[in-house]
Amino acid sequence: MPQLLNVDAALAQILADMQPLGSESVALAESLGRVIATDIAAPLDLPPFDNSAMDGYAIHHADSLSASPQQPATLHVTQDISAGDSPTDTLQPGQAARIMTGAPIPVGCSAVAPVEDTDDNWRKASGTAPPEEVRIYSRYGYGANIRRKGENIAFGATIMGAGTIIQPAEMGMLAAIGCARFEVLRKPKVVILGSGDELVDVHETLSAGKIRDTNSYTLAGLIRQAGGIPIRLPIARDKLSEIRALYSRALGINPDMIISSAGVSVGAADLVREVMDELGDIDFWRINMRPGKPLAYGALQGIPFFGLPGNPVSTMVTFEVLVRPALAKLAGRALRRRTIQATTADDLRSDGRRSYNRVRLSREGGAVVARSTGSQSSGALMSMLLADGLAIIPEGQRFVPAGSELPVLLLRPLE
């Protein structure tokens, strides 16, 4: 019997085959979560002009140097500057200009006195004139409460590098520099295939011997979560003609990846391998992991192909271990997943393959404790629903006593 392929070797081979996709233009409003394809440089200074950081009064800072609550500096108010204005008059010594946050600083101004440090205890309302004079109760140094042109971002500076994932803060910055459209990496388009006489869709009535198709929905969610675009095709019956037609339809969509669920084991009804031999090349069929040994990887007419096992847990575990990293590389994303050390609360068992046991995690006394979710059967879907992570038992180790430390691949953030 051929030796099973090591998980790390399989993943290295898969990642070596993946190349980031090309780019496409996207509107800023639709960019959340997308990956920037090229560096973005600032086409202007931010802020684009000197402006006030406070509601208050623009002054010559020297006029305030002897000011105090007991002996305020009294200045003549000559201007009233709102955000959006463009002041043209020069501020002379002994003068002040009422100014709003974000408004341009007039020529001659070297500080802004906040309104709360003046005798003007009322904030500007539309149509209300400023006072003729204002008293300043504190001293201010040169440049106080002034935001200088370019102090946030200088013209020409790189503000986001290629590979940056757009979050709300990035959207705000791009709006600030007037970047309405920009290039992002394409999302991988992934076709999901399934076959089996026993499978019915979620809308169909169950009859004797039938089960619902869960894998295509699970895979669609996992693909979308990983930054891809899932495309579910109808289930094919266990007939060579139907499976061949299904795979041909998948190729006609011109996807970036094809994932098949079931049909890759050694059962008499597993016809996928025959179709694969017709349409593409298989690099390997079996992996030294549990669950998930019957896994196929190769290419269909140059398109990366994964033939995942049919059992629901096996499908999800093999996706996490092998497919998610491949999608991340296609999408140009850094794979942000965490493996932590946890202490086992239960005895764990394996058959000697590298095993991924489903566990719940909790923090207890400064340590992370892993408890089995129960049955580790590859068909026990509830074991994944309850799992916070996958405890990894190394190859060759068949028994892990309670109290041992194991690496755990997190499936969700650890609270």
Side-chain angles (χ1 to χ4, degrees):
M1 179 180 293
Q3 185 176 6
L4 296 176
L5 184 62
N6 173 269
V7 175
D8 297 328
L11 181 58
Q13 182 174 338
I14 290 167
L15 292 180
D17 292 341
M18 301 296 148
Q19 298 300 322
L21 303 175
S23 64
E24 62 184 2
S25 177
V26 68
L28 174 59
E30 306 300 324
S31 67
L32 184 66
R34 301 302 298 270
V35 179
I36 294 174
T38 58
D39 293 351
I40 296 178
L44 75 169
D45 290 313
L46 284 181
F49 48 82
D50 292 353
N51 68 90
S52 177
M54 297 280 186
D55 290 340
Y57 283 84
I59 63 172
H60 283 261
H61 77 284
D63 288 337
S64 73
L65 294 183
S66 61
S68 69
Q70 294 74 32
Q71 291 185 314
T74 301
L75 304 176
H76 182 56
V77 180
T78 60
Q79 299 182 55
D80 191 20
I81 308 170
S82 296
D85 288 347
S86 181
T88 57
D89 294 339
T90 298
L91 192 71
Q92 302 295 336
Q95 296 180 343
R98 186 168 67 172
I99 193 166
M100 306 308 289
T101 301
I105 295 297
V107 174
C109 168
S110 58
V112 172
V115 67
E116 54 267 28
D117 285 347
T118 74
D119 64 347
D120 183 0
N121 58 9
W122 167 90
R123 292 183 181 274
K124 182 178 178 182
S126 177
T128 303
E132 291 186 1
E133 291 184 336
V134 65
R135 291 177 176 83
I136 308 296
Y137 295 116
S138 298
R139 61 181 295 171
Y140 296 96
Y142 181 86
N145 300 314
I146 295 176
R147 295 185 291 215
R148 294 298 183 186
K149 175 182 177 180
E151 74 173 27
N152 187 2
I153 294 292
F155 169 77
T158 298
I159 58 172
M160 294 175 206
T164 299
I165 298 176
I166 298 295
Q167 302 295 346
E170 282 77 8
M171 294 178 72
M173 179 60 77
L174 290 167
I177 64 171
C179 189
R181 294 192 72 87
F182 50 95
E183 291 294 305
V184 296
L185 292 177
R186 284 200 303 106
K187 288 186 174 184
K189 191 166 54 175
V190 184
V191 170
I192 302 167
L193 308 179
S195 60
D197 288 338
E198 75 282 10
L199 298 176
V200 298
D201 202 358
V202 66
H203 305 293
E204 300 179 51
T205 301
L206 282 179
S207 57
K210 303 296 184 181
I211 59 173
R212 298 204 190 280
D213 165 33
T214 61
N215 287 349
S216 69
Y217 289 95
T218 301
L219 284 169
L222 289 168
I223 290 163
R224 197 176 299 280
Q225 184 187 65
I229 301 172
I231 303 170
R232 293 177 56 250
L233 294 186
I235 297 295
R237 301 302 106 195
D238 283 327
K239 294 181 180 179
L240 185 59
S241 59
E242 285 199 30
I243 295 174
R244 185 182 286 120
L246 181 66
Y247 277 62
S248 295
R249 180 177 174 184
L251 289 168
I253 295 172
N254 192 30
D256 301 299
M257 183 183 289
I258 296 173
I259 298 178
S260 170
S261 173
V264 295
S265 64
V266 294
D270 297 331
L271 305 171
V272 170
R273 183 164 191 169
E274 186 172 345
V275 176
M276 282 298 303
D277 289 339
E278 296 174 7
L279 299 176
D281 300 302
I282 292 298
D283 293 337
F284 52 80
W285 274 95
R286 304 202 306 160
I287 307 291
N288 191 26
M289 66 182 292
R290 174 179 177 266
K293 180 174 71 173
L295 180 142
Y297 169 73
L300 287 175
Q301 297 183 6
I303 298 170
F305 170 82
F306 288 89
L308 304 185
N311 283 319
V313 174
S314 299
T315 296
M316 284 184 271
V317 171
T318 50
F319 183 95
E320 291 295 339
V321 176
L322 299 171
V323 183
R324 188 182 291 276
L327 276 175
K329 188 170 180 184
L330 276 182
R333 293 172 176 264
L335 184 61
R336 291 179 170 84
R337 68 161 153 207
R338 288 181 59 204
T339 299
I340 64 170
Q341 292 295 120
T343 303
T344 60
D346 314 290
D347 294 341
L348 301 179
R349 290 172 171 78
S350 171
D351 64 355
R353 290 176 283 165
R354 183 182 301 184
S355 296
Y356 294 83
N357 284 36
R358 282 76 71 197
V359 293
R360 289 172 293 182
L361 299 173
S362 61
R363 294 189 187 275
E364 301 177 18
V368 178
V369 177
R371 289 181 170 82
S372 173
T373 58
S375 171
Q376 297 296 302
S377 165
S378 57
L381 187 55
M382 196 67 185
S383 70
M384 284 297 285
L385 192 66
L386 296 173
D388 298 311
L390 302 172
I392 304 171
I393 302 175
E395 294 92 334
Q397 189 168 349
R398 295 177 177 272
F399 178 70
V400 179
S404 301
E405 278 208 351
L406 285 178
V408 177
L409 175 62
L410 292 181
L411 296 175
R412 61 188 65 158
L414 178 61
E415 295 181 359

